[in-house]
Amino acid sequence: TARRLPDFVFLWGRTYLQKPFQLDAVILFKILQPLGKALCARGGVGVVFTAFYAVHHPHAAALREHLGQIAGGFVRKGLEPDAHFRVQLCHGALPLRAAAAGFYGGVRLLIQLVVDVALAQQFSGEVISADSMQIYKGLDVGTAKVTPQETCGIPHHGVDILTPEKTFSVADFTALAGEYIQDITARGHLPLLVGGTGLYVQSLLYGVRFTAEKAPDGLREQLTAELEANGPEAMYAKLQAVDPEAAAAIHPNNKVRVLRALEHYRATGKRLSEQKADSLPPERPYRSLVLGLDFPDRAALYRRIDLRVDKMLEAGLLAEAEYVWHNREAFRTAAQAIGYKEFFPYFQQTAALDACTEKLKQASRNYAKRQLTWFRHMDGVTWLDAGAADVRQTALRLTQDFLLKG
């Protein structure tokens, strides 16, 4: 009998922070009280796009309760008694902090997390991370790793599975993700692939077959010596000369991937693009729905990226980057990652912190462009406006239609 392809949903998007704004507490309560009661009464599936945090306000506890009611009103019935508070945390209400007297508010757009959780709750889904950095333990802030509270009880696979000195390739990912998919579907649940590492996503969905090709003895050492002697710019230029397509998909400063691509070419005489074409199966292994989240207003997107970097610094990014810097010889992959390497000159006392922070913001904006370019070239992506009020409903409807087609 014909094998039925597993149903599969992939979601990609960005999560960024809006600018803080001042909000009158009395007006807020007048809005929250009736809204919270109404939403709790309906008990449907949904999400809360805004979440507020209080700073030293006498009514902060009541405010948090109303936020929890609103969040709780958007999730399924049958959650435990503390679900309101738990869901409130899932959708971004920040902890209270002692600061200057008064009430201040912030709105956090947890677009990707919001849609992830909504889909998982609606369709008995489990999340598989497609992020090449979130696999590493102890690297939480710089990778924007999902917190236990933010998972809302939804199983998340492929997060915190390796220590930072371990290597993890796209071949490793496709093999591991395939095991996750088989296990999830065997239990009657829906796999949700979530993340922005385009090579991981495309290789898995396209069914790329990876063969173990042993490089000639000494080739890797030879390439490493060339890198030390000539510098990363010269090695990237060599890759551009022999495999321009692979070079276009790799950042010039990503020395690990540049050397890996050169190693493959020198070992096999073939470009990576040729290997990819030869390794594609006649039929893709999964019936997939691919949803991409984007902000059409690029200026607004870049402002959110900049604010996101500021918030990550407040959350302890600098200490995490210093941890990577002290272990940079062992943590080879993390030492090349955006969010860490930009601060190395600061630890070496060759650049000011402000300059390194601006460099990280620029690198993050450039990476967002490359992500967008990568997924624009993938076929079958349905793009959603992450800032639209109905983005959750649209994602749910598309997923429902996809599953009904079976």
Side-chain angles (χ1 to χ4, degrees):
T1 59
R3 180 173 63 92
R4 184 183 182 279
L5 296 179
D7 292 325
F8 197 93
V9 175
F10 166 63
L11 174 73
W12 173 73
R14 307 186 184 96
T15 301
Y16 297 114
L17 194 69
Q18 277 190 337
K19 222 172 183 180
F21 65 92
Q22 194 165 8
L23 186 66
D24 183 84
V26 176
I27 296 175
L28 178 62
F29 279 121
K30 288 181 179 179
I31 297 172
L32 291 182
Q33 260 183 322
L35 184 58
K37 291 179 180 178
L39 296 178
C40 283
R42 57 182 290 193
V45 177
V47 294
V48 177
F49 281 91
T50 59
F52 303 90
Y53 64 92
V55 181
H56 195 63
H57 190 270
H59 300 301
L63 172 62
R64 291 173 67 181
E65 180 181 351
H66 287 304
L67 288 171
Q69 288 176 350
I70 288 180
F74 271 128
V75 300
R76 287 187 302 188
K77 296 178 181 179
L79 294 176
E80 56 270 27
D82 68 338
H84 288 171
F85 175 73
R86 189 168 62 82
V87 175
Q88 172 216 348
L89 291 178
C90 288
H91 295 291
L94 305 181
L96 303 180
R97 298 179 182 177
F103 174 83
Y104 295 85
V107 178
R108 188 180 185 187
L109 295 184
L110 293 171
I111 301 297
Q112 178 172 322
L113 176 60
V114 156
V115 180
D116 299 350
V117 171
L119 291 175
Q121 289 174 333
Q122 175 78 354
F123 302 108
S124 298
E126 298 185 24
V127 172
I128 301 171
S129 172
D131 188 298
S132 62
M133 291 303 301
Q134 291 191 1
I135 60 172
Y136 291 119
K137 300 175 182 179
L139 305 181
D140 303 333
V141 181
T143 64
K145 192 176 295 176
V146 63
T147 67
Q149 292 85 1
E150 287 173 336
T151 65
C152 294
I154 304 300
H156 280 60
H157 306 277
V159 177
D160 278 343
I161 60 175
L162 293 177
T163 51
E165 72 274 9
K166 301 291 180 60
T167 59
F168 192 77
S169 68
V170 61
D172 295 327
F173 170 77
T174 56
L176 184 62
E179 294 174 5
Y180 288 144
I181 292 169
Q182 186 175 11
D183 176 62
I184 293 168
T185 54
R187 289 184 279 105
H189 290 183
L190 179 67
L192 296 169
L193 185 66
V194 181
T197 302
L199 182 62
Y200 282 14
V201 173
Q202 191 173 54
S203 298
L204 178 66
L205 297 187
Y206 286 16
V208 175
R209 296 179 295 236
F210 294 93
T211 57
E213 295 176 348
K214 181 173 174 57
D217 293 338
L219 177 56
R220 183 165 299 182
E221 291 76 10
Q222 177 188 341
L223 288 168
T224 301
E226 289 181 31
L227 173 66
E228 293 175 355
N230 303 320
E233 295 84 1
M235 301 305 288
Y236 186 73
K238 290 183 179 181
L239 180 60
Q240 286 179 309
V242 298
D243 193 348
E245 186 175 341
I250 300 174
H251 191 277
N253 292 334
N254 194 328
K255 293 180 284 188
V256 173
R257 288 188 62 194
V258 169
L259 291 188
R260 191 177 295 156
L262 283 171
E263 181 183 44
H264 173 81
Y265 179 79
R266 293 190 185 180
T268 66
K270 292 185 177 181
R271 299 188 297 270
L272 281 176
S273 55
E274 293 176 308
Q275 181 209 36
K276 181 179 175 182
D278 294 340
S279 63
L280 290 177
E283 181 185 1
R284 293 185 182 178
Y286 306 110
R287 192 179 75 90
S288 60
L289 169 68
V290 183
L291 302 179
L293 299 179
D294 186 30
F295 287 94
D297 185 348
R298 288 291 175 266
L301 172 63
Y302 298 153
R303 285 195 299 271
R304 286 178 176 140
I305 291 174
D306 292 348
L307 286 168
R308 178 176 183 258
V309 171
D310 293 336
K311 291 297 178 181
M312 291 170 78
L313 282 168
E314 292 177 9
L317 175 60
L318 194 61
E320 199 169 275
E322 187 172 15
Y323 167 62
V324 173
W325 180 68
H326 283 303
N327 295 276
R328 57 193 180 278
E329 293 302 322
F331 299 173
R332 293 294 182 92
T333 302
Q336 294 297 317
I338 295 174
Y340 300 128
K341 60 186 174 65
E342 289 80 11
F343 292 106
F344 288 4
Y346 172 71
F347 303 132
Q348 295 163 345
Q349 299 183 345
T350 59
L353 180 59
D354 288 346
C356 294
T357 301
E358 288 304 314
K359 187 176 181 180
L360 172 55
K361 291 177 178 179
Q362 182 62 58
S364 299
R365 293 193 294 268
N366 291 340
Y367 182 62
K369 294 177 186 176
R370 293 197 301 275
Q371 277 186 314
L372 186 60
T373 299
W374 181 285
F375 287 106
R376 292 277 186 210
H377 283 91
M378 273 186 63
D379 60 290
V381 179
T382 300
W383 289 98
L384 306 179
D385 181 353
D390 63 345
V391 62
R392 179 191 61 83
Q393 292 89 339
T394 302
L396 290 172
R397 175 179 53 79
L398 290 170
T399 304
Q400 182 68 55
D401 294 344
F402 165 76
L403 294 174
L404 288 174
K405 291 178 182 178

